[in-house]
Amino acid sequence: MASVLSRGRVRCPWHGACFNISTGDLEDFPGLDSLHKFQVKIEKEKVYVRASKQALQLQRRTKVMAKCISPSAGHSSSTNVLIVGAGAAGLVCAETLRQEGFSDRIVLCTLDRHLPYDRPKLSKSLDAQPEQLALRPKEFFRAYGIEVLTEAQVVTVDVRNKKVVFKDGFKLEYSKLLLAPGSSPKTLSCKGKEVENVFTIRTPEDANRVVRLARGRNAVVVGAGFLGMEVAAYLTEKAHSVSVVELEETPFRRFLGERVGRALMKMFENNRVKFYMQTEVSELRAQEGKLKEVVLKSSKVVRADVCVVGIGAVPATGFLRQSSINLDSRGFIPVNKMMQTNVPGVFAAGDAVTFPLAWRNNRKVNIPHWQMAHAQGRVAAQNMLAQEAEINTVPYLWTAMFGKSLRYAGYGEGFDDVIIQGDLEELKFVAFYTKGDEVIAVASMNYDPIVSKVAEVLASGRAIRKREVELFVLHSKTGDMSWLTGKGS
């Protein structure tokens, strides 16, 4: 599979990560590590590559990082940098500080009982164990002096005295603060919501329990967004039956539109998933305290031994309500392009923020993507070190269901048209989402590397016009994409 080469960097066709072609350094996310670089010699028509065996085996390279030389590390009640939240944004912030030579104390605190792990993988692989999901091994944190406080809940932030208070009463002073608390899953508010075996997927323990309970039994998934559909796909080979309940007409409708949503729905139906659309749950019925039936507003009754709720999330920012850090009406933390809040020295990143999206006229948006959290964590760290970096990455995400991958780049909210090239029934297509005469997002299946190509064009600052796409669809039965890079006619 060809990667996309542009402006001195190469972009991965699958996940959108970008690497410098001279150094191999990671320049855009997702991912934590860089690539090795090798000496190349061209003689006549032969290319000679000189590489060490070790580099070829490892395939990845961790950037050189500083170590902590603070004498107070590990036991004092003050830290130079405190990071609240240990998802991608928090971890990348800590790593970036060390990569940039910062050698003072860094404390990373998390509600989780585990070291930072790959949370988006939970819904794609519910059987995964914490150690398989870990983003870095325990030794890594020890080696670079990044202290992780697990099961540590911050209850108040006192910005005037630069101090946070934890639920157990422990107080910690800071010089710089990153808020990356992520979000909390929404739960059902219907009758019987307290019955056993109803889950939101937040931790490896949640995911593992769902698989255990679903094996050979009846599973119901509420919500046909990414999390719900990934869980439903994973459970089809484990459960006796899988049903999906959704308020919209088709899965992913707001995100991918009616036609793509319908094509994906068909793929699920071909894999024995039953859909109950344009309805919601009115009651959860139990037998001896454990879930037995899900009653829908359409008065249908669905047998269920386990239920997974994936109906969205809200920012986990309740602990900031009494502080002087601004929150918007929905509870998000507004930041500028440098990931700064309204309080000097306090930064925020990840799922809980709204920020100006550069290539959509600085529109204030919330983008709860894995890749975006990485990028924001990096920018926050750079600005803690007064490097004046700005967030300008193009949003990129992917999902995998039944062995098929869907990729997506851009920000499609408010699209008014979808132009499709390829075959939706065969699930080999590219969909361009337009608003007015401009392409604002793209999605594809079995059409690589077009999403990475579009992401590179948008990252370069060039707008893609609706007319260009219409001509591409009209004339290109060959899949020629040279028009995107300006090489075609």
Side-chain angles (χ1 to χ4, degrees):
M1 170 56 59
S3 298
V4 177
L5 184 63
S6 162
R7 301 176 300 133
R9 65 186 197 174
V10 62
R11 184 185 280 268
C12 165
W14 302 302
H15 306 109
C18 298
F19 302 90
N20 184 296
I21 57 171
S22 303
T23 63
D25 282 356
L26 179 69
E27 289 192 350
D28 203 346
F29 300 92
L32 296 169
D33 290 317
S34 298
L35 301 176
H36 287 282
K37 63 170 186 173
F38 305 113
Q39 275 185 313
V40 176
K41 198 163 75 174
I42 301 171
E43 279 180 12
K44 293 186 181 156
E45 296 197 352
K46 288 188 175 165
V47 178
Y48 296 92
V49 178
R50 193 171 163 185
S52 73
K53 254 190 190 157
Q54 192 191 10
L56 287 172
Q57 280 168 343
L58 288 172
Q59 296 182 337
R60 55 176 65 191
R61 169 177 64 84
T62 302
K63 282 186 183 175
V64 175
M65 289 165 71
K67 300 198 171 168
C68 181
I69 55 169
S70 168
S72 67
H75 53 259
S76 92
S77 59
S78 72
T79 180
N80 196 290
V81 172
L82 174 62
I83 299 170
V84 178
L91 178 60
V92 170
C93 178
E95 289 199 20
T96 302
L97 288 168
R98 290 285 184 249
Q99 287 164 6
E100 297 295 321
F102 180 81
S103 58
D104 218 320
R105 191 179 183 197
I106 300 173
V107 175
L108 191 62
C109 65
T110 172
L111 281 169
D112 260 292
R113 65 168 76 161
H114 307 291
L115 291 173
Y117 62 91
D118 188 342
R119 203 189 301 278
K121 254 195 196 147
L122 289 179
S123 49
K124 298 176 183 73
S125 180
L126 287 96
D127 270 326
Q129 297 304 302
E131 51 280 7
Q132 296 168 299
L133 297 165
L135 294 170
R136 294 291 194 195
K138 196 184 276 183
E139 302 71 52
F140 176 91
F141 296 96
R142 206 175 291 134
Y144 297 109
I146 298 167
E147 297 168 55
V148 185
L149 307 180
T150 53
E151 297 181 270
Q153 185 180 352
V154 174
V155 287
T156 51
V157 178
D158 175 355
V159 293
R160 214 177 62 214
N161 297 306
K162 292 192 163 187
K163 191 181 354 184
V164 303
V165 182
F166 291 85
K167 195 176 182 179
D168 63 3
F170 176 59
K171 295 181 177 69
L172 192 57
E173 289 176 18
Y174 63 83
S175 300
K176 297 271 192 304
L177 176 65
L178 175 72
L179 299 167
S183 52
S184 305
K186 289 181 183 171
T187 53
L188 294 174
S189 54
C190 62
K191 190 178 171 191
K193 61 176 188 286
E194 65 297 316
V195 307
E196 266 184 70
N197 301 341
V198 178
F199 298 87
T200 54
I201 303 254
R202 186 75 192 144
T203 66
E205 289 75 19
D206 294 336
N208 294 172
R209 281 186 69 195
V210 165
V211 177
R212 221 167 35 244
L213 289 162
R215 221 173 281 278
R217 314 286 285 284
N218 303 298
V220 171
V221 176
V222 183
F226 283 97
L227 184 135
M229 294 292 271
E230 286 169 357
V231 168
Y234 190 81
L235 291 180
T236 50
E237 287 187 1
K238 311 274 189 287
H240 170 68
S241 74
V242 179
S243 306
V244 174
V245 179
E246 166 61 44
L247 208 46
E248 296 277 355
E249 284 169 64
T250 54
F252 305 113
R253 184 163 172 250
R254 287 182 188 182
F255 204 79
L256 298 172
E258 187 80 29
R259 288 168 67 197
V260 175
R262 206 164 282 291
L264 292 171
M265 186 171 169
K266 209 167 170 186
M267 172 176 78
F268 275 74
E269 286 172 332
N270 291 342
N271 283 280
R272 301 186 309 110
V273 176
K274 178 121 179 69
F275 285 93
Y276 297 91
M277 304 306 276
Q278 292 181 282
T279 186
E280 50 192 323
V281 177
S282 65
E283 188 187 346
L284 298 168
R285 284 189 191 148
Q287 196 177 326
E288 293 169 11
K290 291 187 168 66
L291 181 69
K292 216 61 216 145
E293 292 173 333
V294 173
V295 185
L296 307 180
K297 289 222 168 126
S298 59
S299 71
K300 265 260 189 303
V301 178
V302 186
R303 288 181 62 186
D305 300 294
V306 61
C307 175
V308 175
V309 180
I311 53 173
V314 292
T317 53
F319 70 102
L320 297 172
R321 295 215 182 278
Q322 306 308 313
S323 74
S324 51
I325 295 159
N326 277 353
L327 297 178
D328 71 11
S329 59
R330 296 178 299 161
F332 290 107
I333 311 165
V335 293
N336 63 14
K337 282 185 187 176
M338 296 163 88
M339 308 317 293
Q340 290 166 327
T341 67
N342 62 307
V343 177
V346 179
F347 299 80
D351 292 6
V353 308
T354 59
F355 69 101
L357 189 59
W359 64 275
R360 288 285 307 268
N361 300 322
N362 294 322
R363 179 179 170 177
K364 275 273 177 129
V365 297
N366 166 254
I367 299 180
H369 298 175
W370 189 236
Q371 165 257 7
M372 190 54 80
H374 284 71
Q376 292 174 347
R378 179 166 176 77
V379 170
Q382 290 170 317
N383 290 311
M384 284 180 176
L385 303 173
Q387 293 180 3
E388 298 198 1
E390 291 189 349
I391 187 84
N392 60 6
T393 188
V394 172
Y396 198 111
L397 72 92
W398 67 95
T399 183
M401 298 161 291
F402 304 113
K404 292 185 167 47
S405 293
L406 175 107
R407 312 194 199 294
Y408 181 98
Y411 181 72
E413 194 168 292
F415 67 86
D416 53 31
D417 199 6
V418 188
I419 301 166
I420 292 166
Q421 157 74 7
D423 190 333
L424 277 176
E425 277 191 24
E426 291 290 314
L427 297 174
K428 182 179 168 54
F429 67 89
V430 54
F432 294 91
Y433 298 85
T434 61
K435 189 170 187 183
D437 75 334
E438 201 173 321
V439 172
I440 56 172
V442 61
S444 83
M445 284 183 99
N446 294 308
Y447 225 94
D448 294 331
I450 195 158
V451 170
S452 283
K453 270 192 188 292
V454 169
E456 265 315 279
V457 173
L458 296 175
S460 75
R462 172 163 102 74
I464 302 170
R465 300 284 161 214
K466 187 175 183 177
R467 183 93 188 106
E468 292 177 83
V469 175
E470 287 168 337
L471 285 169
F472 162 61
V473 172
L474 191 66
H475 299 300
S476 177
K477 297 298 171 217
T478 59
D480 172 39
M481 290 181 272
S482 56
W483 60 280
L484 258 180
T485 47
K487 289 177 185 145
S489 54

